[in-house]
Amino acid sequence: MNPFTLSFGKKPNQYISRLAQTGMIIEDFTASEPSSQLYMLTGVRGSGKTVMLSTISHELRQKSDWIVVELNPTRDLLTSLAAKLYAIDELHTLFIKARFDFSAFGLGVAFENTPPVTDIETVLELMLKKLREHNKRLLVTIDEVTANDHIKVFASSFQIFIRQDLPLFLLMTGLFENISEIQDDRALTFLYRAPKINLAPLNLNAITASYQNILHVPSKVARKMALTTRGYPFAYQVLGYLWYQQKPQTIEQLLPEFDQYLQELVYQKIWQELSSKDQDVLATIAKSGRSRIKDIREALGFSSSLMSVYRERLKQKGLVDTRDYGYLSLTLPRFENFIELYHELR
Ligand SMILES: Nc1ncnc2c1ncn2[C@@H]1O[C@H](COP(=O)(O)OP(=O)(O)OP(=O)(O)O)[C@@H](O)[C@H]1O
Ligand SMILES: [Mg+2]
């Protein structure tokens, strides 16, 4: 069986660890005085958000004092959370012992002489207080958030729980534009300050070593393959997958198929989600590779301030590399080939 995978959203067999970013979040969540109880992971499609989210949940799940619950962002989050907590045997027993009456939400039974709790926020507050009493911490994960009402309601309750010092932790992932739309909501001020982690490319040395070990290619070839992926996680899987399948003489033989997978599974979608001005900027960069900001701006007739808006936005979306002062280049591997074709078709 091919050790590499083309599928999204689950932890691959060949996994390159993100020691720095993953370690930082886990350390903070498990600290006695966490500096943040909320982290948001952003990055382009295929950058490994879902995989990182599952890695962190998996690690915390191993710890006896942690409870991890995954919520679906398209549903009523407070009610789902209460139901999921209630369904955990260990907690269920605690709640019954405390004679909590959550029957108004279809959870468990009513007790004689105890008034039912009729507000969902109160239900969760009681549950979280119980967790605190038993020195437990709760991690809630939400993958692929968009700025819908469920998220807003949940975030505003979260804010209240945190203020009461309840042991609730939240890890969300989303595309940059969705995360920033949620953050910009004025009612949710604490989100504004919440740390956003932009997924970095995978370590190129680790990719090289992995290709060498699994595919038994010479180190020079493995290095060249790693550079071809530019550290983009999906590209790492695709290139490994194709090499394993075809055992070619050179990388070049694989490139047409490599491009096709990237285009069909991610680039088309990324491209369609961009505004036409964003597309113009990318097309200008694609033409000359590493481009001077000044040249791009002149080619498009942008003012300096307009140019810096686009520069910042494309950087945040994970599409443009700005580390080289005064220059812009594309972050995704071989994206320029795709852009040239599609920009002309527009
Ligand atoms: N750390 C990693 N090491 C190796 N491969 C990875 C890693 N993270 C992700 N991948 C691979 O990259 C691809 C995309 O991963 P994932 O589904 O997590 O992306 P995503 O950012 O959630 O994308 P989307 O925005 O479309 O949901 C998958 O094929 C996955 O196997
Ligand atoms: Mg995902």
Side-chain angles (χ1 to χ4, degrees), residues 5-12 14-18 43-52 143-144 175 199 202 233-234 236-237 266:
T5 177
L6 301 176
S7 63
F8 273 61
K10 60 171 203 253
K11 191 165 178 186
Q14 297 312 319
Y15 170 76
I16 308 282
S17 58
R18 295 178 180 275
V44 280
R45 295 186 179 282
S47 60
K49 299 179 293 296
T50 304
V51 168
M52 183 163 162
D143 197 14
E144 291 189 44
L175 297 176
L199 263 72
L202 299 175
F234 182 58
Y236 159 74
Q237 296 292 341
V266 280

